[in-house]
Every structure is written in C-alpha cells, then in structure tokens.
Amino acid sequence: MSTDDIVDDLTRDTQNSPEELLTRSFFFVCAVLSIVTTVSIVVLLVTEAAKFFSITAPLMGIEGPTASIVDFLTGTTWEIGNRRFGVLALVSATLMITIGSAIIALPLGVATAIYLSEYAAPRHRAFLKPALEVLAGIPTVVYGFFALIYITPVIQTVLPGTGTFNLLSASIVVGIMIIPMVASISEDAMSAVPDDLRQAGYGMGATKFDVSTGIVVPAALSGIFSSFILALSRAIGETMAVTIAAGSQAQFLNPIDPTAYQEGALPMTAAMVQLLLGDITGGGLAYRSLFAIGLTLFVITLVMNVISDLIAQRYREEY
Amino acid sequence: MATDTRSGDIESFGTVSKTVGTVFRYVLLAATLFGIVVLGALLVYVANDAIQPLTADPGWHLTFLLTLVLPTLGVGAYLYRRDTDALRFGATTVGMTVVTLMFAGGVGMIFVDILSPFVFLAYAVALALPFALVLALQRRARRIPFFTRAGATTLAFYVSLLGVPGPVGAVAGLPTIVPGVPALIQSLPTVPLGWMSLTATLGLGVAALVGVYAARVRDRRAGLFAGVGALAAIGAAGAVGPAFGVTSVPAVVLASVAVVPTATYAAGTAVSRPERRIGLLVPAVVIGGALVGEVAVGALGFAGPQSWVDWQFLTSAHSRTAVDAGLYPAIGGSILLMVTVALLSFPLGVGAAVYLEEYAPDNRFTRIIDVNISNLAGVPSVVYGLLGLGVFVTYLGRSTGTVLIGGATLALLILPIVIISSREAIRSVPNEMRQASYGMGATKWQTVRRVVLPRAFPGILTGTILALGRAIGETAPLIMIGAPSVLFSLPTGFTSKVSAMPLQVFAWSSLFASEDFYTKAVPAGVVVLVSVLLAMNSIAIVLRNRYQSEQ
C-alpha cells in the first residue's frame, strides 16, 4: 500500500459517499412512510365522507342521494334501509361501553400499577407482568365470544331480563382488555417518581400506605391520567368484542341509565363491520356512510390521544 | 410547641395501626389478580368445551396420571430443590419441542399445499448462485467503487432469476437467449422427489446453522460433524418416513424444523454446561411418559376424550355442520398473512427506527414524525381497514380480500408498534460502542450495520414477534378489506383470496350462530388461536429475559 492510498483512506469523505447516501435515504423513506400513512388516512376519510354529506357532495361532483350533516350529527335513529343516518344512536352505545369499561379498568388498572411499582417483590413482578401482557394479547374475537357465551348467561341469572346481546357483557370484557394498558403506563409513571421523595416520606414517619397514596400517586398523576385517556380511546376503537357481544340493533340509549346496559345496541365500530358484511354496493350511500362513521371515530380517538399527550407533557412534575 | 403537645400524640408513634396498610396491600393484590383470574377461568371453560376431558374413560386419566403427570411432577420437584437452572433448561427443552412442532406444522402446510418443494429448490438455487458470486467478489477485491459493485450485484441477480435478456428484453421484443435459473431447473428432464428438494434447501440451511452453532460451542471439527450429521438425519427422515406412516415431505420438515433444532439445543447446552445435564430428565420423562401412556391406553382399550380439537378439525375446511367444520384454510391463510406482514413491516419498521435513532437531526420535522408515530399507534384497527379498502380496492382497483392487501393493511397497523419497540432496542445500545466504531474509522452505515443492529437485534426481534402476535389476532381490518369469512381451499399465492383464524372464529360465532357451533367449532377454534398466540408470546418473553440477563 503506498502512502497515497493511506492518505486517500484517511481523508475520504465518508458522509457523502454513494453508499452512505443510499442507505440514509432508504431509512429516511421508511420514517416518512408513517407521515404518508397518516396523510392518506385523513385524505381518504375526508374525501369519502365529503361525498356523503349534501353540503359537500356537489363540490366533489357527486350526484344522487346524500345525507344532511345536521341530521348525521344530531339524529338519534340509525336505519340504513330508510336512509336515516343519525350517528348519535351509535355514539351513545360507544359511550356506554366506554363508561362501563372505564368503571372496571381504571380502578383495577391503577391498583395494579401501585402494587407492581410499590409492593410486589421482583419474583412476583417477573410472573405478573407477562401474565398481564397475555391479557392484552388475547384476540378481541375471543373476548367477544367469552362475553356472549360465558359472561352473558351469568349476567342473565343475576339480572333477569337481560338480552342475549347486551352492553354490560361487552363493557366487562373491554374493561378487562384495557386493564394492562392503564397498568403499564401508570406503572411507568410511578416508577419514574424519584426514590428521594419516598425516603422523605418515610423519614417523616409515614407508613407504606401513606407513601403510596399520599406521595407516589399524586406525583405520578399526569401519567395516570394520560393512561386513562389512552385506554379509553382504545375502548372506543375496540371492534370485534363489541360486534359479537353488543348486538346489531341500533338504538339511542341514555348512557346515565344503569338499566340501559341490559339492552343491546350498535356501537360505531360494530356498525362499520355490519355495513361491510351486508350487501353494500361500491360507491353507494351506505358505503360512504362507512367513511363518515370512520371519520367520526378517527377524530374522537385522535383528539383523545393528543389530549393524553398534552397532559403527560404539560403537567409532568420535573424532578 | 413541644410544651403544648399532649402526651397522647407522642405515644401514637409506637401505635401506628397496621390494619389499613395490610388491607390496602391485599386489595391491591386482588385487583392485580382480578383480570388474570377471570381470563384464566374463561380459558379453562373454553378448553373444557373444546377438549372435553371428562368424556374420557377414568382408566385413560389414571394411565396418564401414572405415566406422565406423577413422574413429571416428581422430577420437577426434585430438580426444583436441587438445581433450578437445570430445571429451567429442561423446561425450555420441553417448551421448545412444543413450539417447534407447531412451527413445523405451519411450514409443512406451506410445502404440502401451497409451494411445491421443487419450485422452492429452483428459486433457492437461483438466489444462491449470484449471492455466492457477490460474496466471492467482495472477498477478492475490496476496493471496487460502490456503483460498480451495486451494478454487478443487481445484474447477477437479474440474470440468474430472469435470464438473458429477460422481461426487459421481452418488452423490446428480443427473444430469450438464456432462460433464468428457475426456468432452467424446472425444465430439467428428471425431477427430484419432493423430499430430496426439501432436504437440499431447508435441510441444508438448518444443517449449516447447526454446524455454526456446534462450532461455536466446541470447535470447527465438531461443527463439521454436527452439520453433516444433521443433514444425514434430515435426509434419512425423508427416506424412512413412509415406512413409519409419515409422508416424506412432512417428515423432512418435521426433522429439519422441530427435531434437529431441539436436539441441537439440548446437546449443545449439555456439552457447554455439563452441570445442567440432569435437566434433560424433564424432557425424557415428559416425552417418554406420553409415549408409554399412549401405548398403554391403546393396549388396555381406554377411550380418550372426545376432543373437538382433533386431526379432522385441523385439516378440513368449513362445513355447514359444526361437527365436520375445520380450520385448515384459515390456518393456511393466517400463515401466509404472517409471512407477508413480517416481510413488509420488519424492514420498514426497523428502517424508520434506525433513521429516528441514528440519523435524524433534532428539528421540527423529526418531532412531527415522532408525534405522528405515537398517534398512529392509537388509531383504531377498523380505520386501518378502511384505509386498506379505500386505497387498495377503490383507488388502485385491486380485487378485495387478497393475501397481499390483507398483509399490507395489517403491516401498516403494526408498523408503529414495530418502530417504537425497535427504537427502544436501538436506544439501549451503549453509546461507547458507537464511538469505538467511529474511532476505528467506520462510516455511519458500517457502524449501524456491524455494531448497532447486531447488538439491538434480540430486542427488535422480541418487539416484532409481539407485534406479529397482535396482527395474527386482528379481524376487523380483514373484514373491512372484504376477506371472505368462508373459504374452502387454501390460498395459492399472494393474489388469491384469504381467510384467517380469527375471521373464521368470528364467522362461526356470528354468521353461523347456533348452539352446535357455540359448543363445538368455536371453542375448538379459540383453543387453536390462543395456543398459537401463547406460543408466540412465550417465545418473545423467553427471548427478552435471556437478552436482559445478558446485558
């Protein structure tokens, strides 16, 4: 090897050699793909939903039947055959499942997080954490079947008059499904609380109970709230379990009324599956209503995710 | 004020009530266990419905209790007291046997019904030739300019796969002068038997891996012996399989995917950690006990349980009657979907993670990508289904419900999860290692390829397996893209219609809803689906634990 070779080697431009540029652009394209996905979701949902509403349909050059946006957002009857598209009937069912699953998942999830972060011995953690992961990993179809076949009969013996399809069983399984999500994000927040704070508490004579409830939980509150919102957004978007267990008859129910949980209803996601399984002609009004519901769902979950992000960032205690 | 303090307050130092704390602790424990216990009970119920253990003869239970359960418990308890590491080794071997057997079932299905072993051989040779050429070129001459090397590589693969002048020439109207290697091999007058092709491809690959592993455990000579031995064993399985009632192709798959890897792991650990050898008692007792029990039950004439999860259920298609219904096309569809999803999401997800962790400048655009990915992870799966429906079917005009569209939709769905877990794995690579690599004069890409990715690989793999587990259980996106819920034959390629296990379970529990399906076909389908998922989850957890203890 001559000296020139060595000098060449040592002074070569490694940043902009073709190989470096090629690999860097490949990685960049991969990262940009996520933006492309989001943009295409938004564009697709907005353009297809625009063809559905009578205000915007002429802009898209669509002739034929359309639906009024006011009726869509305020109507409480969902009957595709009669062209009555009141999304509130679907939203009320989704809301009820969200409330029902929240009643189960939020307290249990936070309690699990406190136990794992403050009380559990490392040996028990090593067993409990994978078990909770399995809870989140079971397919939602399986949860739906469990709700319909095993949980509903139990409910029917306790509360006679409950229908075969009911929102209560759907809420229970969705609640179980999202416990791990609440637990793992809250636990991360609690583990991030510095040990000095706990030691200070013990130094003041506090018991473990006082330290957990009086110091750790308040310090991790922003993380806990953001886990709540993320889990609820997951409950709203949950599809197969509610499709199987909650029924297929759309009706507007009062979410505050506990007895309404014994009835069946049609949540948004289940309505989308039902539309697809029925005979819808490509490009028809029913087909476009699919995208209108999809847009509603996407906006609700997106707003919740953004709020959760904001809470986690803005109200995080800096240590 | 100290003087004002009543004496009772000071005394209370010694009399803090423990009750509240104790109650609180057990309430927390109960809350933690609630979900796990409920799910466990439901799984027991569904397994009972599907397998019906109570329909078996009491004698059947007694036989297996004596031959399988009691000896296993005995050996387990003995090892637990004596040497937990040995017990863990034994249990891992048993687990590996079960998981590799399931995996072999899937691979066998591909080679029996989807891809002919001979075609596989033809393409394997066509890919191996230019690969070997490029490797030799790289070893011989290191200083070729990048573009020459890239051009030569592309040309070699093109000629080998498609021939001269190939499709490009065909567009220009040129006649084929030399056909590609796959076409050449497939036009051979004598066709090797299926199991021979498979031994030469799958068997050779597995044998090479076995050789490398053995060489690392012991030395080069041992590696050579182990590799040749493995290849001989796989070939022998194909040759003698039919004599024992197993067709040759499945026999080769069984040997190369299940038997040889498990035996290699057991033998390798026994050689490198002699003190754990006693752990081999566990698989011996479990497998031996099951075989002895089976023979004894047959000889004594005890009837087994009337399980709905049986060979007939696993190998037949949907039927109107629950008793005859099976899961075969759905299992095949799920396998093909997983292959597609893995091929699409792994490179794209890891690529995005590498960009964000290693290359991305800290600017607004990077932060947008960052926020965007975490938001994509929260988008409901039905919406991804709508995306697949709208983009692939309505705009690109593809036919509904094919393997490719289903796979692409599911890949987009799990991409954020793959990216997030890969980023964590890449972030955990210590910075000193990168600096050391730069210090030796390596470029960024060389550092990523030789230092960062190998070190982060186990973590990336764990995250990807967990994400694939999510994809295999998804139903809603498949319904959205119009996958048929009832399919009577396996998909034959990437453009044929596909069904999947969860979709079939959904169809049985909603479209064909009847007492018969509820108590027979659906529980059986749920048991198969959950077993596959638990197997994938346990692989991921074992990998992660091993990886974490290494660090």
Side-chain angles (χ1 to χ4, degrees):
Chain A
M1 216 184 251
S2 68
T3 3
D4 278 358
D5 276 352
I6 295 172
V7 170
D8 277 354
D9 256 358
L10 290 177
T11 56
R12 80 206 144 118
D13 178 11
T14 56
Q15 282 285 307
N16 294 312
S17 70
E19 199 169 353
E20 291 294 310
L21 281 181
L22 201 70
T23 49
R24 180 190 302 191
S25 20
F26 169 73
F27 293 136
F28 182 69
V29 168
C30 291
V32 168
L33 189 72
S34 72
I35 303 261
V36 175
T37 311
T38 314
V39 170
S40 34
I41 289 179
V42 171
V43 169
L44 182 80
L45 291 180
V46 168
T47 53
E48 290 293 321
K51 292 177 191 166
F52 175 72
F53 297 119
S54 35
I55 305 182
T56 46
L59 298 175
M60 306 294 298
I62 294 292
E63 310 257 322
T66 49
S68 149
I69 192 164
V70 178
D71 286 351
F72 179 76
L73 289 178
T74 61
T76 55
T77 323
W78 182 268
E79 285 169 4
I80 295 166
N82 300 331
R83 295 228 170 110
R84 303 192 58 180
F85 299 98
V87 84
L88 283 188
L90 311 179
V91 171
S92 75
T94 299
L95 187 63
M96 288 175 69
I97 287 178
T98 312
I99 294 173
S101 58
I103 290 174
I104 292 174
L106 304 192
L108 288 178
V110 174
T112 305
I114 299 176
Y115 186 76
L116 288 178
S117 143
E118 305 299 313
Y119 285 87
R123 278 184 56 193
H124 300 153
R125 265 175 63 95
F127 160 76
L128 286 172
K129 287 206 74 157
L132 281 170
E133 270 172 49
V134 169
L135 217 57
I138 297 285
T140 58
V141 183
V142 174
Y143 274 116
F145 175 71
F146 285 163
L148 183 63
I149 302 300
Y150 300 123
I151 297 182
T152 300
V154 176
I155 296 173
Q156 279 171 330
T157 51
V158 180
L159 301 167
T162 308
T164 313
F165 300 103
N166 58 78
L167 293 171
L168 186 55
S169 63
S171 306
I172 292 175
V173 288
V174 173
I176 292 177
M177 214 183 299
I178 60 175
I179 289 176
M181 197 160 184
V182 179
S184 76
I185 300 176
S186 300
E187 197 220 328
D188 284 346
M190 290 179 194
S191 312
V193 174
D195 235 10
D196 305 359
L197 288 187
R198 294 190 186 87
Q199 299 302 345
Y202 291 131
M204 304 282 286
T207 61
K208 189 142 194 157
F209 169 73
D210 296 328
V211 170
S212 303
T213 54
I215 295 176
V216 176
V217 170
L221 210 54
S222 72
I224 295 174
F225 272 122
S226 95
S227 85
F228 284 178
I229 296 175
L230 275 185
L232 294 187
S233 122
R234 167 97 197 274
I236 290 175
E238 170 38 51
T239 311
M240 295 323 292
V242 301
T243 305
I244 296 175
S248 52
Q249 205 59 46
Q251 60 170 329
F252 182 77
L253 294 166
N254 178 6
I256 315 292
D257 177 14
T259 56
Y261 281 85
Q262 289 172 270
E263 293 182 49
L266 187 66
M268 285 193 277
T269 48
M272 291 167 74
V273 170
Q274 198 192 31
L275 273 168
L276 236 291
L277 289 175
D279 285 326
I280 55 163
T281 46
L285 191 60
Y287 173 81
R288 285 182 220 132
S289 75
L290 197 61
F291 289 87
I293 308 173
L295 184 63
T296 318
L297 191 66
F298 179 72
V299 169
I300 294 177
T301 50
L302 184 70
V303 167
M304 292 182 74
N305 286 343
V306 170
I307 291 177
S308 143
D309 243 27
L310 283 182
I311 290 182
Q313 274 178 11
R314 182 149 309 167
Y315 298 101
R316 185 168 53 205
E317 309 259 343
E318 297 286 348
Y319 302 110
Chain B
M1 298 283 158
T3 45
D4 290 343
T5 313
R6 282 175 292 122
S7 55
D9 274 356
I10 292 172
E11 274 166 20
S12 76
F13 271 136
T15 59
V16 174
S17 163
K18 279 187 178 170
T19 327
V20 184
T22 314
V23 169
F24 184 64
R25 187 195 169 107
Y26 284 104
V27 167
L28 290 184
L29 182 60
T32 308
L33 292 177
F34 174 80
I36 299 170
V37 169
V38 169
L39 182 72
L42 290 170
L43 287 178
V44 167
Y45 262 100
V46 80
N48 180 40
D49 274 1
I51 300 173
Q52 306 208 45
L54 298 183
T55 55
D57 268 342
W60 187 88
H61 283 294
L62 189 68
T63 315
F64 274 99
L65 185 74
L66 288 178
T67 58
L68 180 61
V69 180
L70 288 183
T72 308
L73 286 180
V75 169
Y78 170 69
L79 284 181
Y80 185 76
R81 288 218 169 152
R82 216 188 104 157
D83 186 355
T84 39
D85 278 340
L87 177 64
R88 193 170 297 133
F89 164 54
T92 313
T93 312
V94 173
M96 199 167 156
T97 312
V98 174
V99 169
T100 50
L101 278 178
M102 283 168 85
F103 198 63
V107 176
M109 196 178 222
I110 291 181
F111 284 116
V112 170
D113 272 336
I114 299 175
L115 178 68
S116 123
F118 183 51
V119 176
F120 184 63
L121 171 73
Y123 277 94
V125 172
L127 284 175
L129 284 180
F131 190 72
L133 193 76
V134 169
L135 220 61
L137 199 72
Q138 210 168 23
R139 212 163 257 192
R140 187 67 47 91
R142 283 179 168 275
R143 304 190 68 89
I144 318 169
F146 173 70
F147 281 113
T148 319
R149 208 169 67 206
T153 310
T154 321
L155 194 72
F157 275 99
Y158 178 85
V159 169
S160 171
L161 277 174
L162 304 164
V164 180
V168 175
V171 172
L174 295 174
T176 306
I177 302 165
V178 185
V181 176
L184 209 62
I185 292 180
Q186 285 181 65
S187 67
L188 285 179
T190 48
V191 172
L193 292 172
W195 67 267
M196 292 179 181
S197 308
L198 213 52
T199 310
T201 47
L202 193 67
L204 198 62
V206 170
L209 288 179
V210 167
V212 170
Y213 176 76
R216 202 186 290 169
V217 168
R218 203 79 186 261
D219 52 30
R220 286 185 78 113
R221 247 169 71 89
L224 193 67
F225 275 121
V228 172
L231 191 63
I234 292 167
V240 269
F244 293 92
V246 187
T247 334
S248 337
V249 170
V252 170
V253 172
L254 204 65
S256 43
V257 177
V259 179
V260 168
T262 313
T264 308
Y265 167 75
T269 313
V271 168
S272 63
R273 299 276 179 85
E275 73 280 4
R276 289 190 194 169
R277 256 178 222 176
I278 194 164
L280 285 176
L281 267 178
V282 182
V285 163
V286 170
I287 296 170
L291 287 179
V292 170
E294 196 62 43
V295 171
V297 161
L300 297 171
F302 293 130
Q306 279 190 309
S307 167
W308 300 114
V309 188
D310 53 5
W311 193 246
Q312 181 270 335
F313 179 77
L314 292 175
T315 55
S316 54
H318 168 76
S319 157
R320 292 199 151 278
T321 50
V323 183
D324 300 326
L327 206 58
Y328 193 61
I331 297 176
S334 280
I335 293 174
L336 271 190
L337 279 175
M338 281 312 102
V339 171
T340 321
V341 172
L343 286 181
L344 287 174
S345 65
F346 188 75
L348 292 176
V350 176
V354 167
Y355 178 77
L356 289 172
E357 285 301 316
E358 301 289 326
Y359 288 90
D362 185 18
N363 59 16
R364 173 170 290 211
F365 186 65
T366 307
R367 277 197 294 278
I368 290 179
I369 295 183
D370 212 8
V371 170
N372 181 49
I373 287 171
S374 62
N375 277 332
L376 272 183
V379 171
S381 57
V382 255
V383 174
Y384 279 101
L386 275 187
L387 179 70
L389 175 71
V391 171
F392 296 123
V393 178
T394 310
Y395 282 108
L396 297 180
R398 307 274 163 196
S399 60
T400 55
T402 61
V403 178
L404 201 58
I405 295 177
T409 309
L410 290 178
L412 279 183
L413 172 72
I414 64 164
L415 206 50
I417 313 176
V418 176
I419 295 177
I420 291 170
S421 58
S422 305
R423 282 186 74 174
E424 259 166 43
I426 291 174
R427 206 176 302 150
S428 72
V429 177
N431 224 3
E432 289 86 344
M433 297 182 73
R434 293 189 187 89
Q435 298 303 340
S437 169
Y438 293 138
M440 307 267 285
T443 64
K444 191 125 198 167
W445 164 232
Q446 284 167 337
T447 307
V448 166
R449 188 176 50 158
R450 299 261 165 86
V451 178
V452 176
L453 285 183
R455 174 87 184 192
F457 188 70
I460 294 175
L461 199 63
T462 309
T464 310
I465 294 175
L466 284 177
L468 282 179
R470 166 101 195 270
I472 210 172
E474 278 294 344
T475 322
L478 294 178
I479 296 179
M480 288 287 140
I481 58 148
S485 35
V486 172
L487 205 64
F488 292 98
S489 58
L490 276 183
T492 49
F494 287 116
T495 51
S496 53
K497 296 246 179 201
V498 68
S499 179
M501 285 191 277
L503 194 57
Q504 186 68 68
V505 171
F506 169 68
W508 284 334
S509 62
S510 67
L511 306 181
F512 298 92
S514 72
E515 197 55 37
D516 230 19
F517 273 101
Y518 282 163
T519 51
K520 297 186 178 91
V522 182
V526 166
V527 165
V528 174
L529 184 57
V530 170
S531 326
V532 171
L533 261 166
L534 287 183
M536 289 177 78
N537 268 328
S538 48
I539 294 175
I541 289 168
V542 167
L543 259 178
R544 183 174 56 197
N545 286 350
R546 178 153 299 187
Y547 172 55
Q548 275 174 352
S549 61
E550 246 173 47
Q551 277 198 337

